Amino acid sequence: MGRDLLKYQGIKPILAMLAVLTVIQGAAIIAMARYLATAITTLFHGDPWSDALFDLSLFAGAYLVRHFLNVWKRKIVYDYAAKTGTLMREQLLSKLFLLGPRFTSAEGTGKVVTMVMEGVADFRRYLELFLPKLMNMSIIPVMILIYVFIEDRTSGTILILTLPILILFFNYDWAGDEEAGGSTV
């Protein structure tokens, strides 16, 4: 399903809108980290709360922006998934009508009903979960890496060097359950 994602009707404007909102959300995440770190550093040095209040208010503003954008993105994707799911169900029912009752009886009525009802619902859930995560995982880490490189090249280099190690640890089965087919969740 992932390879055919760009073939769905109306997906490109949705992805473009999600990308723009994700860039703004990434900027809010970076602002949150920056202002919270500045406020904590101010307080750590023993300065009064009033000195950290401005940075804390900027952190709170960035926090609200981030979560507002998250809700907005979910709404956009929910509406698109609902519209696409309805269209897909209509096309599927039209195709079943054209194929006739022989196809339905050959495939099994239960199988066809399950495909129409649960298959489309699963597709909608897939879109609702996958599209925001796709944008978040493809844009925000790159933004954070660029920001870290701008602030400190050594830290940026360390991030780049440790990324393959993180991927290796994510894929390594520490409990040895891989042969048994179990998971280590």
Side-chain angles (χ1 to χ4, degrees):
M1 220 183 293
R3 277 186 239 129
D4 295 334
L5 190 62
L6 293 176
K7 294 179 183 176
Y8 296 121
Q9 182 178 356
I11 191 75
K12 290 178 183 176
I14 296 297
L15 290 176
M17 187 179 301
L18 288 176
V20 168
L21 294 176
T22 301
V23 167
I24 298 168
Q25 191 175 24
I29 290 170
I30 291 169
M32 285 172 52
R34 171 130 185 139
Y35 294 125
L36 182 61
T38 304
I40 289 172
T41 303
T42 300
L43 295 174
F44 183 74
H45 286 114
D47 296 338
W49 274 92
S50 60
D51 290 353
L53 197 56
F54 181 70
D55 289 325
L56 287 173
S57 63
L58 290 175
F59 165 78
Y63 178 84
L64 292 173
V65 167
R66 175 187 178 199
H67 288 286
F68 169 74
L69 290 172
N70 201 30
V71 169
W72 193 7
K73 284 170 35 177
R74 285 184 184 176
K75 169 92 171 91
I76 290 168
V77 172
Y78 177 83
D79 291 343
Y80 175 74
K83 185 177 81 173
T84 305
T86 301
L87 181 65
M88 181 178 280
R89 183 173 281 127
E90 290 170 359
Q91 290 172 345
L92 186 59
L93 289 173
S94 296
K95 184 72 170 177
L96 285 172
F97 182 74
L98 289 174
L99 291 172
R102 285 189 187 147
F103 175 79
T104 305
S105 63
E107 289 295 318
T109 307
K111 187 176 179 181
V112 171
V113 169
T114 300
M115 179 178 54
V116 170
M117 299 304 292
E118 291 180 18
V120 174
D122 288 345
F123 175 73
R124 282 185 59 183
R125 272 191 298 277
Y126 166 78
L127 286 178
E128 290 171 13
L129 295 173
F130 181 73
L131 292 179
K133 291 196 184 311
L134 171 70
M135 287 297 134
N136 288 347
M137 295 305 298
S138 60
I139 294 174
I140 294 174
V142 174
M143 289 180 66
I144 291 172
L145 183 64
I146 290 169
Y147 177 77
V148 169
F149 256 110
I150 290 170
E151 290 295 315
D152 182 31
R153 290 189 190 276
T154 304
S155 297
T157 304
I158 291 170
L159 281 177
I160 288 177
L161 293 175
T162 56
L163 182 64
I165 296 169
L166 287 173
I167 293 170
L168 177 70
F169 284 140
F170 283 147
N171 291 324
Y172 186 74
D173 184 20
W174 291 99
D177 290 339
E178 198 169 304
E179 298 83 33
S183 70
T184 58
V185 178

